[in-house]
Amino acid sequence: MLQLLSYMFRKSYIGKFIIAESFSLVGSAMIPVVLSFSVYALGGREETVGKLLAVQTIPFVFLLPFSGAIIARYTALRVLIFSEIICLLSEISISVYFSETTLHVTPIFILCAVLGAGASFVIPSGETLVPELVETRHLQKVNSAIGIIAAFGAMVGPTLGGLVISNLGTRWAILADAMTYAVSVFFLLGIPQYNCQSTNTDPFFTLVTEGWREFRRQPWLTIMVGVYAGFHLLVLGPAYVIASSALTQVEYGAERWGLLLGIMAAGHIGGGIVSMNLNCRRPLVLALVSFSTFFLAPASIAVTPALLVQVPAFFVAGGGLAIFSVVWETTKQKIISPHMLSRVSAIATLGSASLLPVGYLMGAPLTNWLGEQKALYFTSICCLFLAILGLTFPSVRNLYFTDMTTLHATKDD
C-alpha cells in the first residue's frame, strides 16, 4: 500500500485517474439501487423495476461492440470524459421526472436508455487507460486501489441513498448519484493527453473485425466471458430484482437493502486489500473460486430475515467479487496487447453483460414460478454451478504466471 501511495505521489495523474474512475464506478453502482427504490417510492412494482433496468442495459449492450473501435480511434481518455458527461446530463434530466408524485414511465425509460448508452464506453475506456498510464508491475496494485476506493464510496453511497429517498425524496437521491460523474469528469480533465495512446486511423470496420479476431484467438477469454454472461443471466440480474422486492415487504426495506449493499462494498474493500499483494500463479482459478462466494448473498436472504446472517454473507460475497474483478482485469491487461485492449475489452464486456437485461426481466417470472425464497436459492445454486463449470476447461485451469508479468498455458488435458 505504501509503495502504491509513493507511486501515486510521484505521478499525480495516476492519483487523479484512480479518483475519477472510483467516482465513476460508484455512480454506476448506485444507479440500480437509487432508480429501483425511486420507482417503488412512486408506487411502481417489480415488473417496472425489471423493465427499467433492462432498458438502461440494452443500449449499453448494443453499443459495446463498437465502443472499442471508437476508443482506438479517438483515445480512451477523450471517450471516457465524453461518456461521463452523457451519464451526468442523463441523471440530472431523470431527476426532473422524479420530482413529482406521479411516475412518468416513458420519459424515464428514454433517459435511462441514454444513460446506458453513455455507460457503454466507461468500462472499456477505463480498462484501456490503466495500462497506458501505469507500468505493468503496478497494474494489479492500481486495479486493487480503484476497487478499494470505489467500494469505500459504494459502502456509504447506497446507505445514504436509501436515507435520502426516505427523508428528502427520490429527486435528491438521483442528483447525488449524478454528482459522482461530475467529480469524475473534473479529475479526468486534469490528466495530460500526452500520457494516452495515440489515435488509430485504420478504417472503422477494420478496427472492429480485428478486435473480434483477437478475442476469438484466446480460448480462455471466451470461456470466462461465457461464465460471466451466465452469472448476469441466472444470478445477478434476477437476484437483484427478487432480493430488493423481498426487502420492500419488511420494515425499513430500502434502508436495509442499502445497508446490505454497503456491507457488500465493505467486503469489496477487504477483497481489494487482499488482492493488492496476491501472487497466485493460476489467476483464473483464483478468479473463479472467488467468484463462487457470491452465492452467499441471495442465499442469506432466502434462509432468514436476520441481519446477523445476511451481513457476513454479503461481506464475503463482496470480497470474493473484488478479488475476481482485480484478477480478471489484470490478467486481460497483461495478456492482450495495448493496441488491441480497448476492442477486446469492449467485446468481453459485451459478452459478459449482454444477458443482464434478460436476467433483470427473469426476476418477476422466477418469483411467480418458484416463490421468492426458492427463486433466491435457484440463483445461489447457479452461481456455484457456473464457477465449477469454468474450472472444467483446461485452457482456464492451465493459464499460469511464471514471473507475475508473463503468462503461459500448458497443453490441454
Side-chain angles (χ1 to χ4, degrees):
M1 179 68 77
L2 293 176
Q3 183 183 13
L4 177 63
L5 291 174
S6 174
Y7 180 62
M8 291 170 56
F9 180 78
R10 286 186 286 108
K11 298 187 175 182
S12 60
Y13 57 85
I14 300 296
K16 291 177 180 178
F17 171 75
I18 289 176
I19 295 172
E21 183 74 352
S22 299
F23 272 91
S24 174
L25 292 173
V26 168
S28 298
M30 287 178 63
I31 287 172
V33 66
V34 169
L35 288 180
S36 296
F37 281 98
S38 294
V39 170
Y40 289 141
L42 293 180
R45 299 179 60 83
E46 60 187 38
E47 290 85 357
T48 304
V49 172
K51 291 177 182 178
L52 182 66
L53 296 177
V55 164
Q56 180 200 334
T57 310
I58 288 171
F60 173 87
V61 172
F62 177 77
L63 290 173
L64 271 173
F66 312 103
S67 64
I70 293 172
I71 292 165
R73 175 65 62 85
Y74 298 106
T75 77
L77 180 58
R78 290 175 185 155
V79 174
L80 184 58
I81 292 173
F82 184 70
S83 62
E84 300 279 14
I85 291 174
I86 291 176
C87 293
L88 168 64
L89 296 178
S90 300
E91 289 220 58
I92 291 175
S93 301
I94 290 171
S95 69
V96 173
Y97 289 96
F98 278 109
S99 62
E100 302 176 8
T101 57
T102 304
L103 184 61
H104 301 280
V105 175
T106 301
I108 292 173
F109 275 23
I110 293 173
L111 289 169
C112 282
V114 176
L115 178 63
S120 66
F121 297 92
V122 172
I123 295 176
S125 296
E127 289 188 3
T128 304
L129 195 55
V130 170
E132 291 179 10
L133 300 175
V134 179
E135 290 91 341
T136 301
R137 61 194 176 94
H138 290 295
L139 277 177
Q140 185 163 311
K141 286 184 170 60
V142 170
N143 285 328
S144 299
I146 292 172
I148 291 170
I149 298 173
F152 181 78
M155 180 175 62
V156 178
T159 305
L160 289 179
L163 292 173
V164 172
I165 290 173
S166 298
N167 295 284
L168 298 179
T170 58
R171 181 186 185 186
W172 291 104
I174 296 172
L175 285 174
D177 191 13
M179 289 303 102
T180 63
Y181 292 107
V183 174
S184 178
V185 170
F186 174 80
F187 281 98
L188 287 173
L189 290 173
I191 299 176
Q193 290 281 344
Y194 63 79
N195 287 303
C196 303
Q197 184 181 3
S198 59
T199 56
N200 191 320
T201 57
D202 290 342
F204 185 78
F205 181 75
T206 301
L207 294 175
V208 174
T209 55
E210 284 179 350
W212 281 101
R213 193 177 302 119
E214 177 66 17
F215 177 81
R216 292 196 304 269
R217 199 174 65 85
Q218 308 283 354
W220 60 269
L221 188 58
T222 305
I223 294 164
M224 289 293 292
V225 168
V227 169
Y228 208 15
F231 174 75
H232 284 107
L233 172 66
L234 301 173
V235 184
L236 184 63
Y240 189 94
V241 175
I242 297 166
S244 62
S245 175
L247 290 178
T248 59
Q249 301 172 25
V250 302
E251 190 176 7
Y252 302 111
E255 290 84 351
R256 174 177 285 211
W257 184 233
L259 172 63
L260 289 175
L261 292 181
I263 294 297
M264 183 175 286
H268 270 276
I269 294 175
I273 293 172
V274 170
S275 64
M276 190 169 289
N277 294 304
L278 278 177
N279 292 315
C280 179
R281 292 193 177 276
R282 296 188 184 270
L284 299 184
V285 173
L286 173 62
L288 286 173
V289 171
S290 302
F291 159 93
S292 68
T293 62
F294 184 83
F295 90 94
L296 293 168
S300 67
I301 295 179
V303 169
T304 176
L307 274 175
L308 289 177
V309 174
Q310 294 172 355
V311 166
F314 271 72
F315 183 87
V316 174
L321 284 185
I323 295 173
F324 168 81
S325 178
V326 170
V327 175
W328 172 231
E329 290 177 12
T330 303
T331 301
K332 286 186 293 182
Q333 290 164 352
K334 287 183 176 181
I335 297 179
I336 308 301
S337 59
H339 75 283
M340 296 296 301
L341 183 58
S342 66
R343 285 166 278 177
V344 172
S345 175
I347 295 168
T349 305
L350 167 66
S352 302
S354 59
L355 297 179
L356 184 59
V358 184
Y360 285 136
L361 294 174
M362 283 179 60
L366 276 175
T367 301
N368 294 333
W369 177 40
L370 299 173
E372 286 181 345
Q373 185 181 44
K374 290 182 179 179
L376 289 171
Y377 280 134
F378 173 81
T379 62
S380 297
I381 293 170
C382 287
C383 182
L384 293 174
F385 171 78
L386 289 167
I388 295 170
L389 178 64
L391 291 172
T392 63
F393 291 91
S395 59
V396 171
R397 294 196 313 271
N398 298 337
L399 196 72
Y400 70 96
F401 284 109
T402 56
D403 58 5
M404 300 317 297
T405 59
T406 305
L407 274 162
H408 291 277
T410 60
K411 293 181 179 181
D412 287 355
D413 294 342

